[in-house]
Amino acid sequence: MEQIEWSSLGFGYVKTDYNVRCYYRDGKWGELEVTSDESINIHMAATCLHYGQEAFEGLKAFKGKDGKVRIFRMDENAKRMIRSAEGVVMAPVPQELFEAACIKAVKMNERFIPPYESGASLYIRPLLIGLGAQVGVKPAPEYLFIVFVTPVGPYFKEGFKPTPMAIMRSYDRAAPLGTGTIKVGGNYAAGMIPTVLAHEKGYSACLFLDAKEKKYIDECGPANFFGIKDNTYITPESSSILPSITNMSLMQLAKDLGMKVERRPVPEEELLEFEEAGACGTAAVISPILRIDDLDEHKTYEISKDGKPGKHCEKLYNTLRAIQYGDAPDVHGWVKVID
Ligand code: PLP
Ligand code: COI
């Protein structure tokens, strides 16, 4: 294969050798299939194309100093994909099938797992789509579950360095009782305009407010939000954000590090009080926030005073990465070592 520059990888698609697939037909899941074909041949009237019957996941495999490969919290991604499937009335992928497919995809593409020293990882992308010719709005008769992998570096090109984010009040990502808590493509489509605008204006992401009151912080397009003040890790409680597995892990690690943890609505004005803030997610890991500009209210919240990640962000980042790469003991049982 062409030599991959592991340490300069961004977050993009790199072709690997194989992907893994499984079809749901006649009310049951079939056998896992392995293929090198990167394309899928589906009917033009498939429900995934018209009515958004689609869900995906994102998780990572890491190569340790000891040469072992670890997948982080795969069980949680499996459970979330079941919730996502149920949320748009698709056949859920059983947890065992989800895990077997991820492990197979990682093992079959072992040579694409970035080396420990690179700081990169293998991103695992499970995808579930509704198939079958259908024009009426109703659930598909058949489904396809695919897992592909691709080696990745940081999601935000700056890596672990504070970046500015923007609040744009004329766009919502998800409604309070909508699909914000599940990982379906429509949420990302809804956030596409503000995301593109934010990038054009030099921001790394758009930070969405709650759609109902426009008062509380929800999350950014690809990651959850957290703020830190008085040795306390504070993250939004909201009915329109994705329950991030990274955020769940950081809440536990913050407690382990002697911090207090609060999960509650976070009003925009509280941004004035945070000593540190960040976006967190599988792709983003922790992305410290430099500044948040509310573009409609013409307000600026300076978060990082010196342009560097704060000490709590740094500690949390290092602690999480150490568990993922196997440098620290996996005391919470978060890691699956692949033999
Ligand atoms: N929020 C959104 C909208 C996301 O797409 C993601 C990424 O999966 C996250 C949060 C972070 O979730 P996780 O930590 O489980 O990757
Ligand atoms: C992830 O962090 O895994 C995501 O899915 C975020 C993004 C790439 C949409």
Side-chain angles (χ1 to χ4, degrees), residues 13-14 16-23 29 31-40 55-61 71 74 77-78 81 93-109 122-129 144-150:
Y13 180 79
V14 174
T16 56
D17 289 335
Y18 302 102
N19 61 85
V20 175
R21 302 176 180 194
C22 189
Y23 286 90
W29 287 100
E31 295 293 317
L32 274 185
E33 300 166 17
V34 175
T35 176
S36 293
D37 192 350
E38 290 171 279
S39 54
I40 50 176
F56 67 101
E57 270 303 329
L59 62 164
K60 280 178 173 171
I71 305 185
M74 178 167 55
N77 291 91
M81 197 177 219
V93 177
Q95 184 168 336
E96 311 77 67
L97 175 60
F98 181 98
E99 296 191 5
C102 291
I103 292 171
K104 188 154 219 151
V106 171
K107 278 191 175 168
M108 301 282 305
N109 293 292
L122 188 73
Y123 186 69
I124 308 169
R125 172 53 66 87
L127 173 71
L128 176 64
I129 57 175
L144 170 59
F145 173 54
I146 305 183
V147 179
F148 70 82
V149 297
T150 192

Short mmCIF file of all heavy atoms in Angstrom, two decimals, residues 13-14 16-23 29 31-40 55-61 71 74 77-78 81 93-109 122-129 144-150:
data_model
loop_
_atom_site.label_atom_id
_atom_site.label_comp_id
_atom_site.label_asym_id
_atom_site.label_seq_id
_atom_site.Cartn_x
_atom_site.Cartn_y
_atom_site.Cartn_z
N TYR A 13 -11.46 10.08 4.82
CA TYR A 13 -11.58 8.67 4.41
C TYR A 13 -10.30 8.21 3.74
O TYR A 13 -9.83 8.80 2.78
CB TYR A 13 -12.76 8.53 3.43
CG TYR A 13 -12.96 7.10 2.95
CD1 TYR A 13 -13.61 6.17 3.76
CD2 TYR A 13 -12.49 6.69 1.71
CE1 TYR A 13 -13.79 4.86 3.33
CE2 TYR A 13 -12.66 5.38 1.28
CZ TYR A 13 -13.31 4.47 2.09
OH TYR A 13 -13.48 3.18 1.67
N VAL A 14 -9.75 7.15 4.28
CA VAL A 14 -8.61 6.48 3.66
C VAL A 14 -9.10 5.07 3.34
O VAL A 14 -9.66 4.39 4.21
CB VAL A 14 -7.41 6.42 4.64
CG1 VAL A 14 -6.27 5.59 4.05
CG2 VAL A 14 -6.92 7.82 5.00
N THR A 16 -9.38 1.28 2.99
CA THR A 16 -8.74 0.14 3.67
C THR A 16 -9.07 -1.11 2.86
O THR A 16 -9.66 -1.03 1.78
CB THR A 16 -9.23 0.02 5.14
OG1 THR A 16 -10.65 -0.06 5.14
CG2 THR A 16 -8.78 1.22 5.96
N ASP A 17 -8.70 -2.28 3.37
CA ASP A 17 -8.83 -3.49 2.55
C ASP A 17 -10.25 -4.07 2.51
O ASP A 17 -10.68 -4.57 1.48
CB ASP A 17 -7.88 -4.57 3.08
CG ASP A 17 -6.42 -4.22 2.79
OD1 ASP A 17 -6.17 -3.46 1.83
OD2 ASP A 17 -5.55 -4.70 3.54
N TYR A 18 -10.91 -4.05 3.65
CA TYR A 18 -12.18 -4.77 3.75
C TYR A 18 -13.23 -3.98 4.53
O TYR A 18 -12.88 -3.16 5.39
CB TYR A 18 -11.99 -6.10 4.50
CG TYR A 18 -10.98 -7.00 3.87
CD1 TYR A 18 -9.69 -7.11 4.40
CD2 TYR A 18 -11.30 -7.75 2.74
CE1 TYR A 18 -8.75 -7.94 3.84
CE2 TYR A 18 -10.34 -8.59 2.15
CZ TYR A 18 -9.08 -8.67 2.71
OH TYR A 18 -8.14 -9.49 2.14
N ASN A 19 -14.50 -4.27 4.27
CA ASN A 19 -15.57 -3.84 5.16
C ASN A 19 -16.46 -5.04 5.40
O ASN A 19 -16.39 -6.05 4.69
CB ASN A 19 -16.30 -2.62 4.61
CG ASN A 19 -16.96 -2.86 3.28
OD1 ASN A 19 -18.09 -3.34 3.22
ND2 ASN A 19 -16.25 -2.55 2.18
N VAL A 20 -17.29 -4.92 6.44
CA VAL A 20 -18.09 -6.05 6.89
C VAL A 20 -19.57 -5.69 6.76
O VAL A 20 -19.95 -4.56 7.06
CB VAL A 20 -17.71 -6.36 8.36
CG1 VAL A 20 -18.58 -7.46 8.93
CG2 VAL A 20 -16.24 -6.74 8.46
N ARG A 21 -20.38 -6.63 6.29
CA ARG A 21 -21.80 -6.32 6.04
C ARG A 21 -22.71 -7.42 6.55
O ARG A 21 -22.32 -8.58 6.62
CB ARG A 21 -22.04 -6.16 4.53
CG ARG A 21 -21.16 -5.09 3.94
CD ARG A 21 -21.31 -4.98 2.45
NE ARG A 21 -20.42 -3.92 1.97
CZ ARG A 21 -20.48 -3.37 0.78
NH1 ARG A 21 -21.38 -3.76 -0.08
NH2 ARG A 21 -19.65 -2.41 0.45
N CYS A 22 -23.92 -7.04 6.86
CA CYS A 22 -24.91 -8.03 7.25
C CYS A 22 -26.29 -7.52 6.84
O CYS A 22 -26.61 -6.35 7.05
CB CYS A 22 -24.84 -8.24 8.77
SG CYS A 22 -25.83 -9.62 9.32
N TYR A 23 -27.09 -8.39 6.23
CA TYR A 23 -28.44 -8.00 5.78
C TYR A 23 -29.51 -8.50 6.74
O TYR A 23 -29.39 -9.61 7.27
CB TYR A 23 -28.72 -8.58 4.39
CG TYR A 23 -27.98 -7.85 3.30
CD1 TYR A 23 -26.71 -8.26 2.90
CD2 TYR A 23 -28.54 -6.74 2.67
CE1 TYR A 23 -26.01 -7.59 1.90
CE2 TYR A 23 -27.86 -6.07 1.66
CZ TYR A 23 -26.60 -6.50 1.29
OH TYR A 23 -25.91 -5.84 0.30
N TRP A 29 -31.61 -11.37 10.91
CA TRP A 29 -30.28 -11.00 10.47
C TRP A 29 -29.59 -12.21 9.86
O TRP A 29 -29.69 -13.32 10.39
CB TRP A 29 -29.44 -10.45 11.63
CG TRP A 29 -29.90 -9.08 12.02
CD1 TRP A 29 -30.72 -8.75 13.06
CD2 TRP A 29 -29.61 -7.85 11.34
NE1 TRP A 29 -30.96 -7.39 13.08
CE2 TRP A 29 -30.28 -6.82 12.02
CE3 TRP A 29 -28.84 -7.53 10.21
CZ2 TRP A 29 -30.21 -5.49 11.61
CZ3 TRP A 29 -28.77 -6.19 9.81
CH2 TRP A 29 -29.45 -5.20 10.52
N GLU A 31 -25.84 -13.77 7.85
CA GLU A 31 -24.45 -13.98 8.25
C GLU A 31 -23.62 -12.73 7.95
O GLU A 31 -23.92 -12.00 6.99
CB GLU A 31 -23.85 -15.13 7.42
CG GLU A 31 -24.50 -16.48 7.67
CD GLU A 31 -24.24 -17.00 9.07
OE1 GLU A 31 -23.08 -16.87 9.53
OE2 GLU A 31 -25.18 -17.49 9.71
N LEU A 32 -22.56 -12.53 8.72
CA LEU A 32 -21.63 -11.43 8.43
C LEU A 32 -20.87 -11.76 7.15
O LEU A 32 -20.41 -12.88 6.98
CB LEU A 32 -20.60 -11.31 9.55
CG LEU A 32 -20.93 -10.48 10.79
CD1 LEU A 32 -19.71 -10.41 11.69
CD2 LEU A 32 -21.38 -9.09 10.40
N GLU A 33 -20.78 -10.78 6.27
CA GLU A 33 -20.01 -10.97 5.03
C GLU A 33 -18.85 -10.00 5.01
O GLU A 33 -18.98 -8.89 5.50
CB GLU A 33 -20.90 -10.66 3.81
CG GLU A 33 -22.14 -11.52 3.71
CD GLU A 33 -23.15 -10.94 2.71
OE1 GLU A 33 -22.79 -10.08 1.88
OE2 GLU A 33 -24.32 -11.37 2.79
N VAL A 34 -17.75 -10.43 4.42
CA VAL A 34 -16.59 -9.55 4.29
C VAL A 34 -16.41 -9.23 2.82
O VAL A 34 -16.52 -10.12 1.98
CB VAL A 34 -15.33 -10.23 4.84
CG1 VAL A 34 -14.09 -9.37 4.61
CG2 VAL A 34 -15.49 -10.53 6.32
N THR A 35 -16.17 -7.96 2.51
CA THR A 35 -15.99 -7.59 1.11
C THR A 35 -14.92 -6.51 0.98
O THR A 35 -14.62 -5.81 1.95
CB THR A 35 -17.32 -7.08 0.49
OG1 THR A 35 -17.09 -6.63 -0.84
CG2 THR A 35 -17.91 -5.94 1.28
N SER A 36 -14.38 -6.38 -0.25
CA SER A 36 -13.45 -5.29 -0.53
C SER A 36 -14.15 -4.20 -1.31
O SER A 36 -13.55 -3.17 -1.63
CB SER A 36 -12.27 -5.80 -1.36
OG SER A 36 -11.52 -6.67 -0.59
N ASP A 37 -15.42 -4.44 -1.64
CA ASP A 37 -16.17 -3.47 -2.44
C ASP A 37 -16.52 -2.27 -1.57
O ASP A 37 -17.14 -2.42 -0.52
CB ASP A 37 -17.45 -4.17 -2.94
CG ASP A 37 -18.15 -3.37 -4.01
OD1 ASP A 37 -17.76 -2.20 -4.24
OD2 ASP A 37 -19.10 -3.90 -4.60
N GLU A 38 -16.15 -1.08 -2.04
CA GLU A 38 -16.45 0.12 -1.24
C GLU A 38 -17.84 0.68 -1.55
O GLU A 38 -18.29 1.62 -0.91
CB GLU A 38 -15.43 1.22 -1.55
CG GLU A 38 -14.06 0.95 -1.02
CD GLU A 38 -13.08 1.97 -1.56
OE1 GLU A 38 -12.63 1.80 -2.71
OE2 GLU A 38 -12.78 2.93 -0.87
N SER A 39 -18.50 0.14 -2.58
CA SER A 39 -19.80 0.71 -2.93
C SER A 39 -20.92 -0.25 -2.57
O SER A 39 -20.70 -1.44 -2.33
CB SER A 39 -19.83 1.05 -4.42
OG SER A 39 -19.47 -0.09 -5.16
N ILE A 40 -22.14 0.30 -2.54
CA ILE A 40 -23.30 -0.55 -2.30
C ILE A 40 -24.29 -0.31 -3.43
O ILE A 40 -24.40 0.80 -3.95
CB ILE A 40 -23.96 -0.28 -0.93
CG1 ILE A 40 -24.22 1.21 -0.71
CG2 ILE A 40 -23.13 -0.84 0.20
CD1 ILE A 40 -24.95 1.53 0.56
N ALA A 55 -28.95 5.24 10.45
CA ALA A 55 -28.29 5.58 11.72
C ALA A 55 -26.83 5.17 11.59
O ALA A 55 -26.51 4.27 10.82
CB ALA A 55 -28.95 4.85 12.88
N PHE A 56 -25.97 5.83 12.34
CA PHE A 56 -24.56 5.45 12.28
C PHE A 56 -23.94 5.56 13.66
O PHE A 56 -24.55 6.07 14.61
CB PHE A 56 -23.80 6.28 11.25
CG PHE A 56 -23.66 7.76 11.58
CD1 PHE A 56 -22.47 8.24 12.10
CD2 PHE A 56 -24.69 8.65 11.37
CE1 PHE A 56 -22.31 9.59 12.39
CE2 PHE A 56 -24.55 10.00 11.67
CZ PHE A 56 -23.35 10.47 12.18
N GLU A 57 -22.72 5.07 13.76
CA GLU A 57 -21.97 5.15 15.01
C GLU A 57 -20.54 5.56 14.71
O GLU A 57 -20.13 5.59 13.54
CB GLU A 57 -22.00 3.81 15.76
CG GLU A 57 -23.17 3.66 16.72
CD GLU A 57 -23.20 4.79 17.78
OE1 GLU A 57 -22.12 5.29 18.16
OE2 GLU A 57 -24.29 5.19 18.19
N GLY A 58 -19.81 5.86 15.74
CA GLY A 58 -18.40 6.20 15.59
C GLY A 58 -17.66 5.75 16.83
O GLY A 58 -18.04 6.10 17.94
N LEU A 59 -16.65 4.91 16.63
CA LEU A 59 -15.84 4.47 17.77
C LEU A 59 -14.43 4.24 17.26
O LEU A 59 -14.17 4.38 16.06
CB LEU A 59 -16.44 3.23 18.44
CG LEU A 59 -16.60 1.93 17.68
CD1 LEU A 59 -16.84 0.79 18.68
CD2 LEU A 59 -17.80 1.98 16.75
N LYS A 60 -13.50 3.98 18.16
CA LYS A 60 -12.11 3.91 17.71
C LYS A 60 -11.38 2.70 18.27
O LYS A 60 -11.67 2.24 19.39
CB LYS A 60 -11.36 5.16 18.16
CG LYS A 60 -11.60 6.38 17.28
CD LYS A 60 -10.85 7.58 17.84
CE LYS A 60 -10.92 8.78 16.91
NZ LYS A 60 -10.38 9.98 17.59
N ALA A 61 -10.38 2.24 17.50
CA ALA A 61 -9.44 1.22 17.96
C ALA A 61 -8.06 1.88 18.03
O ALA A 61 -7.71 2.71 17.19
CB ALA A 61 -9.42 0.04 17.01
N ILE A 71 -10.32 -1.58 21.62
CA ILE A 71 -11.49 -0.82 21.15
C ILE A 71 -12.15 -0.23 22.39
O ILE A 71 -12.35 -0.92 23.40
CB ILE A 71 -12.49 -1.70 20.39
CG1 ILE A 71 -11.80 -2.43 19.22
CG2 ILE A 71 -13.64 -0.85 19.85
CD1 ILE A 71 -12.74 -3.24 18.33
N MET A 74 -17.06 -0.22 23.15
CA MET A 74 -17.85 -0.71 22.02
C MET A 74 -19.28 -1.08 22.43
O MET A 74 -20.24 -0.92 21.67
CB MET A 74 -17.12 -1.93 21.46
CG MET A 74 -17.78 -2.61 20.33
SD MET A 74 -16.65 -3.78 19.53
CE MET A 74 -16.15 -4.84 20.87
N ASN A 77 -21.55 1.93 22.27
CA ASN A 77 -21.93 2.29 20.90
C ASN A 77 -23.00 1.33 20.37
O ASN A 77 -23.93 1.74 19.66
CB ASN A 77 -20.72 2.27 19.97
CG ASN A 77 -19.75 3.39 20.30
OD1 ASN A 77 -18.83 3.21 21.09
ND2 ASN A 77 -19.96 4.56 19.72
N ALA A 78 -22.85 0.06 20.73
CA ALA A 78 -23.83 -0.95 20.28
C ALA A 78 -25.21 -0.59 20.85
O ALA A 78 -26.21 -0.61 20.13
CB ALA A 78 -23.41 -2.34 20.75
N MET A 81 -26.69 2.43 19.17
CA MET A 81 -27.21 2.17 17.82
C MET A 81 -28.57 1.46 17.87
O MET A 81 -29.41 1.66 16.99
CB MET A 81 -26.23 1.38 16.98
CG MET A 81 -26.61 1.52 15.51
SD MET A 81 -25.49 0.70 14.41
CE MET A 81 -25.43 1.87 13.08
N VAL A 93 -29.67 -3.63 15.41
CA VAL A 93 -28.59 -4.60 15.27
C VAL A 93 -28.29 -5.14 16.66
O VAL A 93 -27.93 -4.37 17.56
CB VAL A 93 -27.32 -3.91 14.70
CG1 VAL A 93 -26.16 -4.90 14.63
CG2 VAL A 93 -27.61 -3.31 13.33
N PRO A 94 -28.44 -6.45 16.87
CA PRO A 94 -28.16 -6.99 18.21
C PRO A 94 -26.73 -6.66 18.64
O PRO A 94 -25.82 -6.62 17.80
CB PRO A 94 -28.34 -8.51 18.04
CG PRO A 94 -29.14 -8.68 16.79
CD PRO A 94 -28.83 -7.50 15.92
N GLN A 95 -26.55 -6.45 19.94
CA GLN A 95 -25.24 -6.05 20.46
C GLN A 95 -24.12 -7.02 20.04
O GLN A 95 -23.04 -6.59 19.66
CB GLN A 95 -25.29 -5.94 21.99
CG GLN A 95 -23.99 -5.42 22.57
CD GLN A 95 -24.11 -5.04 24.03
OE1 GLN A 95 -25.20 -4.73 24.52
NE2 GLN A 95 -23.00 -5.04 24.75
N GLU A 96 -24.39 -8.31 20.09
CA GLU A 96 -23.35 -9.30 19.75
C GLU A 96 -22.95 -9.17 18.27
O GLU A 96 -21.77 -9.28 17.94
CB GLU A 96 -23.82 -10.76 19.97
CG GLU A 96 -24.48 -11.04 21.32
CD GLU A 96 -25.92 -10.54 21.36
OE1 GLU A 96 -26.75 -11.10 20.62
OE2 GLU A 96 -26.22 -9.59 22.11
N LEU A 97 -23.93 -8.93 17.42
CA LEU A 97 -23.65 -8.78 16.00
C LEU A 97 -22.83 -7.50 15.76
O LEU A 97 -21.85 -7.50 15.00
CB LEU A 97 -24.97 -8.74 15.21
CG LEU A 97 -24.87 -8.47 13.71
CD1 LEU A 97 -24.04 -9.55 13.01
CD2 LEU A 97 -26.27 -8.41 13.07
N PHE A 98 -23.22 -6.43 16.43
CA PHE A 98 -22.52 -5.15 16.32
C PHE A 98 -21.05 -5.34 16.72
O PHE A 98 -20.13 -4.94 15.99
CB PHE A 98 -23.19 -4.12 17.23
CG PHE A 98 -22.58 -2.75 17.20
CD1 PHE A 98 -23.14 -1.75 16.41
CD2 PHE A 98 -21.46 -2.43 17.97
CE1 PHE A 98 -22.59 -0.47 16.38
CE2 PHE A 98 -20.91 -1.16 17.95
CZ PHE A 98 -21.48 -0.18 17.16
N GLU A 99 -20.83 -5.98 17.86
CA GLU A 99 -19.46 -6.13 18.37
C GLU A 99 -18.65 -7.06 17.47
O GLU A 99 -17.49 -6.79 17.16
CB GLU A 99 -19.49 -6.62 19.82
CG GLU A 99 -20.14 -5.59 20.74
CD GLU A 99 -19.97 -5.88 22.22
OE1 GLU A 99 -19.25 -6.84 22.57
OE2 GLU A 99 -20.55 -5.13 23.04
N ALA A 100 -19.29 -8.15 17.02
CA ALA A 100 -18.56 -9.10 16.15
C ALA A 100 -18.16 -8.40 14.85
O ALA A 100 -17.04 -8.61 14.35
CB ALA A 100 -19.44 -10.31 15.85
N ALA A 101 -19.04 -7.56 14.31
CA ALA A 101 -18.74 -6.88 13.05
C ALA A 101 -17.61 -5.87 13.23
O ALA A 101 -16.70 -5.77 12.39
CB ALA A 101 -20.00 -6.18 12.53
N CYS A 102 -17.63 -5.14 14.35
CA CYS A 102 -16.55 -4.16 14.59
C CYS A 102 -15.21 -4.87 14.75
O CYS A 102 -14.20 -4.46 14.16
CB CYS A 102 -16.84 -3.34 15.86
SG CYS A 102 -18.22 -2.21 15.66
N ILE A 103 -15.20 -5.94 15.52
CA ILE A 103 -13.95 -6.67 15.76
C ILE A 103 -13.42 -7.23 14.44
O ILE A 103 -12.23 -7.12 14.13
CB ILE A 103 -14.16 -7.79 16.81
CG1 ILE A 103 -14.43 -7.16 18.18
CG2 ILE A 103 -12.95 -8.72 16.88
CD1 ILE A 103 -14.85 -8.12 19.26
N LYS A 104 -14.31 -7.79 13.65
CA LYS A 104 -13.90 -8.36 12.36
C LYS A 104 -13.32 -7.27 11.45
O LYS A 104 -12.26 -7.46 10.85
CB LYS A 104 -15.10 -9.03 11.69
CG LYS A 104 -14.75 -9.79 10.47
CD LYS A 104 -15.75 -10.92 10.22
CE LYS A 104 -15.06 -12.15 9.72
NZ LYS A 104 -15.67 -13.39 10.03
N ALA A 105 -13.99 -6.14 11.39
CA ALA A 105 -13.52 -5.05 10.52
C ALA A 105 -12.14 -4.56 10.97
O ALA A 105 -11.28 -4.24 10.14
CB ALA A 105 -14.53 -3.91 10.51
N VAL A 106 -11.93 -4.50 12.28
CA VAL A 106 -10.63 -4.04 12.79
C VAL A 106 -9.55 -5.07 12.47
O VAL A 106 -8.49 -4.75 11.93
CB VAL A 106 -10.69 -3.77 14.32
CG1 VAL A 106 -9.30 -3.53 14.89
CG2 VAL A 106 -11.61 -2.59 14.61
N LYS A 107 -9.85 -6.33 12.76
CA LYS A 107 -8.84 -7.38 12.54
C LYS A 107 -8.47 -7.52 11.06
O LYS A 107 -7.31 -7.68 10.71
CB LYS A 107 -9.41 -8.73 13.01
CG LYS A 107 -9.27 -8.94 14.50
CD LYS A 107 -9.60 -10.39 14.79
CE LYS A 107 -9.39 -10.75 16.22
NZ LYS A 107 -9.97 -12.06 16.54
N MET A 108 -9.48 -7.47 10.20
CA MET A 108 -9.23 -7.64 8.77
C MET A 108 -8.39 -6.49 8.20
O MET A 108 -7.78 -6.62 7.14
CB MET A 108 -10.55 -7.68 7.98
CG MET A 108 -11.51 -8.75 8.37
SD MET A 108 -11.14 -10.40 7.74
CE MET A 108 -10.99 -10.20 6.01
N ASN A 109 -8.40 -5.35 8.90
CA ASN A 109 -7.67 -4.17 8.42
C ASN A 109 -6.54 -3.79 9.37
O ASN A 109 -6.16 -2.63 9.46
CB ASN A 109 -8.64 -3.00 8.25
CG ASN A 109 -9.64 -3.25 7.14
OD1 ASN A 109 -9.29 -3.28 5.98
ND2 ASN A 109 -10.89 -3.45 7.52
N LEU A 122 -7.66 4.13 14.66
CA LEU A 122 -8.50 3.58 13.58
C LEU A 122 -9.96 3.89 13.93
O LEU A 122 -10.48 3.42 14.95
CB LEU A 122 -8.29 2.07 13.47
CG LEU A 122 -8.96 1.45 12.24
CD1 LEU A 122 -8.22 1.82 10.95
CD2 LEU A 122 -9.03 -0.07 12.37
N TYR A 123 -10.57 4.71 13.10
CA TYR A 123 -11.97 5.08 13.32
C TYR A 123 -12.86 3.98 12.75
O TYR A 123 -12.66 3.51 11.63
CB TYR A 123 -12.26 6.41 12.62
CG TYR A 123 -13.63 6.98 12.89
CD1 TYR A 123 -13.96 7.47 14.15
CD2 TYR A 123 -14.59 7.03 11.89
CE1 TYR A 123 -15.21 8.01 14.41
CE2 TYR A 123 -15.85 7.57 12.14
CZ TYR A 123 -16.15 8.06 13.40
OH TYR A 123 -17.39 8.59 13.66
N ILE A 124 -13.84 3.57 13.53
CA ILE A 124 -14.76 2.51 13.12
C ILE A 124 -16.12 3.15 12.87
O ILE A 124 -16.66 3.83 13.75
CB ILE A 124 -14.89 1.43 14.23
CG1 ILE A 124 -13.51 0.94 14.66
CG2 ILE A 124 -15.78 0.28 13.77
CD1 ILE A 124 -13.52 0.07 15.93
N ARG A 125 -16.66 2.98 11.68
CA ARG A 125 -17.93 3.61 11.33
C ARG A 125 -18.99 2.55 11.00
O ARG A 125 -19.06 2.06 9.88
CB ARG A 125 -17.70 4.57 10.16
CG ARG A 125 -18.93 5.19 9.52
CD ARG A 125 -19.86 5.88 10.49
NE ARG A 125 -19.37 7.06 11.16
CZ ARG A 125 -19.44 8.31 10.69
NH1 ARG A 125 -19.96 8.55 9.51
NH2 ARG A 125 -19.01 9.33 11.43
N PRO A 126 -19.81 2.16 11.96
CA PRO A 126 -20.96 1.30 11.69
C PRO A 126 -22.10 2.13 11.09
O PRO A 126 -22.30 3.29 11.47
CB PRO A 126 -21.35 0.77 13.08
CG PRO A 126 -20.17 1.11 13.97
CD PRO A 126 -19.57 2.35 13.39
N LEU A 127 -22.81 1.54 10.17
CA LEU A 127 -23.88 2.24 9.45
C LEU A 127 -25.05 1.29 9.25
O LEU A 127 -24.86 0.14 8.86
CB LEU A 127 -23.31 2.68 8.09
CG LEU A 127 -24.26 3.29 7.07
CD1 LEU A 127 -24.68 4.69 7.52
CD2 LEU A 127 -23.58 3.38 5.71
N LEU A 128 -26.26 1.78 9.52
CA LEU A 128 -27.46 0.96 9.33
C LEU A 128 -28.43 1.71 8.43
O LEU A 128 -28.75 2.87 8.70
CB LEU A 128 -28.10 0.70 10.71
CG LEU A 128 -29.43 -0.06 10.73
CD1 LEU A 128 -29.26 -1.49 10.22
CD2 LEU A 128 -30.00 -0.10 12.16
N ILE A 129 -28.87 1.06 7.34
CA ILE A 129 -29.76 1.76 6.39
C ILE A 129 -30.97 0.91 6.02
O ILE A 129 -30.89 -0.31 5.96
CB ILE A 129 -29.00 2.17 5.10
CG1 ILE A 129 -28.36 0.97 4.41
CG2 ILE A 129 -27.94 3.22 5.40
CD1 ILE A 129 -27.70 1.31 3.08
N LEU A 144 -29.59 -2.97 5.86
CA LEU A 144 -28.19 -3.36 5.66
C LEU A 144 -27.36 -2.69 6.75
O LEU A 144 -27.49 -1.48 7.00
CB LEU A 144 -27.70 -2.90 4.27
CG LEU A 144 -26.20 -3.02 4.00
CD1 LEU A 144 -25.71 -4.46 4.13
CD2 LEU A 144 -25.86 -2.48 2.60
N PHE A 145 -26.55 -3.50 7.40
CA PHE A 145 -25.63 -3.02 8.43
C PHE A 145 -24.22 -3.18 7.87
O PHE A 145 -23.84 -4.27 7.42
CB PHE A 145 -25.82 -3.86 9.70
CG PHE A 145 -24.82 -3.58 10.79
CD1 PHE A 145 -24.62 -2.29 11.27
CD2 PHE A 145 -24.10 -4.61 11.37
CE1 PHE A 145 -23.71 -2.03 12.29
CE2 PHE A 145 -23.19 -4.37 12.39
CZ PHE A 145 -22.99 -3.08 12.85
N ILE A 146 -23.47 -2.09 7.87
CA ILE A 146 -22.10 -2.11 7.34
C ILE A 146 -21.15 -1.56 8.41
O ILE A 146 -21.51 -0.62 9.12
CB ILE A 146 -21.95 -1.17 6.11
CG1 ILE A 146 -22.97 -1.52 5.04
CG2 ILE A 146 -20.54 -1.21 5.53
CD1 ILE A 146 -22.84 -0.69 3.76
N VAL A 147 -19.99 -2.13 8.50
CA VAL A 147 -18.94 -1.51 9.32
C VAL A 147 -17.70 -1.34 8.45
O VAL A 147 -17.17 -2.33 7.92
CB VAL A 147 -18.58 -2.38 10.56
CG1 VAL A 147 -17.47 -1.70 11.36
CG2 VAL A 147 -19.80 -2.59 11.45
N PHE A 148 -17.29 -0.08 8.31
CA PHE A 148 -15.99 0.15 7.66
C PHE A 148 -15.08 0.88 8.63
O PHE A 148 -15.54 1.42 9.64
CB PHE A 148 -16.13 0.88 6.31
CG PHE A 148 -16.55 2.33 6.36
CD1 PHE A 148 -15.63 3.34 6.62
CD2 PHE A 148 -17.88 2.69 6.11
CE1 PHE A 148 -16.02 4.68 6.62
CE2 PHE A 148 -18.27 4.03 6.12
CZ PHE A 148 -17.33 5.02 6.39
N VAL A 149 -13.80 0.84 8.34
CA VAL A 149 -12.83 1.49 9.22
C VAL A 149 -11.92 2.38 8.37
O VAL A 149 -11.77 2.14 7.17
CB VAL A 149 -11.96 0.46 9.97
CG1 VAL A 149 -12.79 -0.40 10.91
CG2 VAL A 149 -11.15 -0.41 9.02
N THR A 150 -11.34 3.37 9.01
CA THR A 150 -10.42 4.25 8.30
C THR A 150 -9.48 4.90 9.33
O THR A 150 -9.93 5.27 10.41
CB THR A 150 -11.22 5.29 7.47
OG1 THR A 150 -10.35 5.95 6.57
CG2 THR A 150 -11.95 6.31 8.31
#
